[in-house]
Amino acid sequence: MALPALAVSSASGQLTGHGMDGFYRDGRRILSRCELQVAGDEPLIVQGRLTGADRARFIGTIRRAGERGPDPEIRMERLRSADGTEQITFRSSAARPVRLPVEIRLGTDLAELGSVAVGLPGPELRAAVHGSGLRWSGTGVHAVVSVTPSPQDALASPGLLRWEIDLPPGGHRTIELRAALEYGTGGPGSPSGHHRYPVGIRIPGPRTGALTPRTRSDRPPRPWTAARLECDDHRADALMASSLDDLHGLVMRDPIAAADMYVAGGFPWRCGLAPVEALWAARMLLPLGTRLAAGTLRALARSQQAAPGADFGRIPGALRDAGPHSPPSCTGIEATLLFPAVLAEARRWGLPEQETERLLPAAERCLTWLRRVTDPPGGGRGYVPDPVPGGPYRCETQAHAHRAALLGADLLDVCGSADASALRDWAAGLRTRFRRDFWLEDPAGGRPAALLTADGRPVPHLGSVTAHLLDTGLLGGGTSAPGLLDPAQTDQLAGLLGSPAMDSGWGLRGLSAKESGYNPFGHRSGAVRVHETAIAAAGLAAAGHEQVAGALTRGVLDAADSFGHRLPEMYAGEQRTTGGAPVPHPSACRPAAVAAGGAVHILVALAGLRPDVPAGTVSVRPLATAPLGAMQLTGLSVAEQPFAVRISRLGMGMVETAAEGLQLGS
């Protein structure tokens, strides 16, 4: 994956035309079939694997009629890049020259990724011979495959290219394919302006010209530092590296301002800007620099409702499933509340003051929206409703609102706004109301309600969304903001999250296994969501519940090992058993921005970094239990300067590299 380009196949490397197989570019399937045959048969694939987020390598052998013995003399290497290039190399160990008949069968439907993802591909198009390859035409858009060396035979009707390759003893020969997308003006497929596909990929295209080819493009640079983890548990090192690689494959430039970059939500459902996922990923990568956060915030500020009206200040977002006990929630509300929090924390990590000032008006609009929806004309309950003005009032939404108010007040102090004090007073009132209305006492010690209905009735189901109550945000001096729960309630919630009903052994279930409606494969009703597990682990560690935090961290690391260190967005919340493995979810994004970002977050949180760059300080408060043993984090960024820290097996932290003049605390 190297958005807006990607490639999908099985471990065989063959693009069969079935399912989601294909090369894609700008949300279109350039190729759905790319089937290789050598000497009348398919190669025997002995290994197929990713060598990076944007590269795959397939190794195979060729058996020819008349060969004796078990040892193959001809081997094949197929190197595929997400940008639409493929190199197929044949190597001979035979003692005599070998002639190999090679055929590649190609085809496409030029279908949109969103349609293919929901099982609605288009009919395969008829090919035409074009230069040294083939070409397929749709309305205003064309797919072109060129090859080197030129085929000795090209048959348009079956989409077939043929070669007779001569291999000398010990020699090798390579065929290179290049798949590209071309646009013509005037048709519905033409990208004059911006056409938005169902999965959210914007296509910035030409305004003039007959045909514009889309082949290789400069991949966006990584908008974060080259961070590296060295840990006693080497699986953590691999997870960190793979997660950052996945995130790089999801990096996109904003079509309106190419210097602004953000990460797409994930493949296949959110291959464009998904506000909530982009903000969470940016927040979780703040220890690696503020560039991603700044680009994401600027892109979302351009989408913010700035016209007077009921939605003034809100960031648009789609509805999403919220489980069996509540209606869908609105991602736009969460994004609106995340915006000022991400900006405030980015400033603590070292976002330059001029960038903060540039984004401050958008953050103020978010905070204006927050105050208006909690104090509407005619009165209200003082909670943020989600998704409609009449509610319901979700516990995680109140957590986002509380964090936005406190961190937003922190921001307003920068410009000397008198509204900062009012926001803090509002947050204090929310804490009082929340502890009274949302906390449900029971013989087991109580629990937070999942939500209040429009008429104020609490819904008591316990799920992983309660982890957001522990994520209070970073204030000045390396302190965490106060939470909505009091200390006793926080302790009780920590015990609930660490119980077998919530902790599957691979991470937090979306819904407790004891609740009605529990489904281990449910998006919000039992499946393990990586980023919420990471939020819980970091929040528990900050609140002093290191044993539970460490158990969740080890569970996610064990799960990552089963997934080849590429964590999916979610996986089944079935109970872990001896010798078992986490079960993949059939509809999960993989790679997924929040899963990859959550992996980085849960690992970096072990160091307990708490910067306050405006005050010139940074503190290190690692977990004393050192759940993964000794670790060293290098290539981090505080105050836009390199930062490195080492944690001993006894949980002692030592800063090895830091910006000059930065005061260090414990």
Side-chain angles (χ1 to χ4, degrees):
M1 197 160 202
L3 289 179
L6 58 99
V8 183
S9 79
S10 69
S12 74
Q14 299 279 47
L15 306 184
T16 64
H18 301 304
M20 295 200 66
D21 280 9
F23 275 109
Y24 296 81
R25 176 79 196 193
D26 293 341
R28 290 275 187 173
R29 182 152 65 177
I30 311 175
L31 278 181
S32 59
R33 282 193 301 117
C34 183
E35 297 175 289
L36 173 68
Q37 283 199 340
V38 185
D41 205 353
E42 292 188 8
L44 174 64
I45 302 301
V46 295
Q47 184 184 75
R49 67 185 185 92
L50 290 175
T51 59
D54 64 332
R55 301 175 303 282
R57 181 173 183 253
F58 309 93
I59 303 295
T61 61
I62 311 297
R63 298 293 293 182
R64 296 171 297 128
E67 281 191 14
R68 296 180 179 179
D71 302 331
E73 296 179 329
I74 309 298
R75 59 195 186 277
M76 179 214 70
E77 180 184 62
R78 195 170 182 176
L79 300 177
R80 176 173 295 153
S81 296
D83 63 8
T85 61
E86 185 164 315
Q87 292 179 328
I88 305 170
T89 300
F90 302 96
R91 302 181 188 275
S92 174
S93 299
R96 299 178 304 279
V98 173
R99 171 163 286 189
L100 284 180
V102 177
E103 294 184 348
I104 300 179
R105 192 176 298 271
L106 304 167
T108 190
D109 52 7
L110 281 171
E112 295 181 359
L113 173 57
S115 299
V116 179
V118 296
L120 298 173
E124 188 162 299
L125 301 173
R126 183 181 177 88
V129 176
H130 179 77
S132 61
L134 298 172
R135 185 173 188 253
W136 299 261
S137 297
T139 305
V141 65
H142 314 271
V144 176
V145 171
S146 57
V147 294
T148 304
S150 297
Q152 290 153 322
D153 197 6
L155 304 177
S157 181
L160 190 63
L161 305 178
R162 290 174 173 165
W163 295 261
E164 292 283 340
I165 293 179
D166 291 317
L167 283 175
H172 69 275
R173 295 288 184 267
T174 298
I175 296 172
E176 183 176 64
L177 288 82
R178 297 171 298 278
L181 203 58
E182 293 182 346
Y183 291 108
T185 57
S190 171
S192 52
H194 299 301
H195 180 81
R196 184 174 287 276
Y197 286 104
V199 290
I201 296 181
R202 285 183 176 176
I203 304 177
R207 300 184 184 277
T208 59
L211 287 177
T212 301
R214 290 294 187 84
T215 53
R216 298 182 187 220
S217 62
D218 291 334
R219 208 173 161 196
R222 295 181 184 236
W224 51 77
T225 56
R228 185 180 177 188
L229 172 64
E230 293 184 21
C231 184
D232 280 351
D233 190 331
H234 296 304
R235 299 176 305 165
D237 308 351
L239 177 58
M240 181 86 160
S242 295
S243 297
L244 292 175
D245 201 30
D246 275 349
L247 286 163
H248 189 203
L250 294 168
V251 170
M252 299 188 75
R253 295 184 185 274
D254 191 279
I256 298 174
D260 293 342
M261 289 177 280
Y262 49 78
V263 292
F267 170 81
W269 310 110
R270 293 183 290 278
C271 286
L273 177 58
V276 167
E277 284 86 350
L279 282 167
W280 273 115
R283 186 180 181 220
M284 288 171 162
L285 264 67
L286 282 173
L288 281 65
T290 61
R291 186 179 177 191
L292 178 64
T296 303
L297 291 168
R298 287 193 295 265
L300 291 176
R302 287 189 283 271
S303 72
Q304 187 181 36
Q305 297 283 351
D311 286 332
F312 174 79
R314 181 169 160 176
I315 295 171
L319 294 177
R320 68 179 171 203
D321 175 67
H325 303 296
S326 62
S329 61
C330 180
T331 59
I333 290 175
E334 185 173 347
T336 304
L337 299 173
L338 267 175
F339 190 105
V342 173
L343 178 57
E345 290 189 320
R347 179 172 174 268
R348 294 291 171 200
W349 281 95
L351 184 69
E353 289 299 328
Q354 61 268 29
E355 286 290 341
T356 303
E357 292 169 3
R358 177 181 175 185
L359 289 161
L360 195 54
E364 289 183 285
R365 290 192 289 270
C366 292
L367 297 170
T368 298
W369 176 87
L370 165 61
R371 293 297 306 278
R372 187 177 63 250
V373 297
T374 55
D375 189 22
R381 294 186 175 274
Y383 297 118
V384 177
D386 181 1
V388 295
Y393 308 99
R394 306 173 196 273
C395 77
E396 70 272 23
T397 305
Q398 312 320 310
H400 300 324
H402 185 254
R403 183 175 56 236
L406 289 178
L407 273 63
D410 217 30
L411 277 176
L412 295 181
D413 284 339
V414 176
C415 58
S417 171
D419 292 337
S421 177
L423 270 174
R424 291 189 179 96
D425 290 343
W426 179 86
L430 179 62
R431 286 195 296 276
T432 300
R433 292 189 299 275
F434 189 92
R435 294 170 186 179
R436 178 193 65 213
D437 298 339
F438 271 82
W439 190 259
L440 307 177
E441 294 292 350
D442 60 33
R447 62 166 67 183
L451 56 86
L452 300 182
T453 61
D455 59 1
R457 178 175 50 87
V459 176
H461 302 286
L462 178 67
S464 61
V465 294
T466 55
H468 293 281
L469 296 172
L470 302 169
D471 178 23
T472 57
L474 189 66
L475 291 176
T479 60
S480 295
L484 283 175
L485 302 180
D486 64 30
Q489 293 168 341
T490 299
D491 293 346
Q492 173 67 7
L493 178 58
L496 291 171
L497 294 178
S499 70
M502 283 299 298
D503 182 3
S504 69
W506 308 112
L508 280 184
R509 295 182 174 93
L511 185 67
S512 167
K514 293 182 177 180
E515 301 289 353
S516 64
Y518 166 71
N519 173 5
F521 283 95
H523 273 63
R524 303 278 171 178
S525 57
V528 173
R529 305 186 71 85
V530 174
H531 92 282
E532 283 184 343
T533 302
I535 289 165
L540 287 162
H545 296 277
E546 295 190 4
Q547 294 291 344
V548 182
L552 291 175
T553 300
R554 289 189 295 270
V556 168
L557 185 58
D558 292 342
D561 201 32
S562 294
F563 288 112
H565 310 295
R566 171 180 262 189
L567 281 165
E569 172 190 15
M570 59 186 169
Y571 39 89
E574 294 183 329
Q575 186 61 44
R576 182 175 183 171
T577 58
T578 302
V583 179
H585 191 291
S587 299
C589 282
R590 184 170 180 255
V594 290
V600 175
H601 184 60
I602 203 170
L603 294 172
V604 175
L606 297 175
L609 302 181
R610 300 187 182 188
D612 185 359
V613 171
T617 65
V618 61
S619 61
V620 180
R621 301 179 186 177
L623 273 68
T625 52
L628 303 184
M631 57 188 293
Q632 181 186 36
L633 282 159
T634 57
L636 302 181
S637 178
V638 178
E640 296 196 306
Q641 296 295 318
F643 189 89
V645 63
R646 183 186 296 272
I647 310 299
S648 75
R649 294 184 181 92
L650 299 176
M652 302 294 291
M654 181 176 69
V655 174
E656 297 184 321
T657 306
E660 186 176 350
L662 198 62
Q663 183 178 349
L664 306 178
S666 60

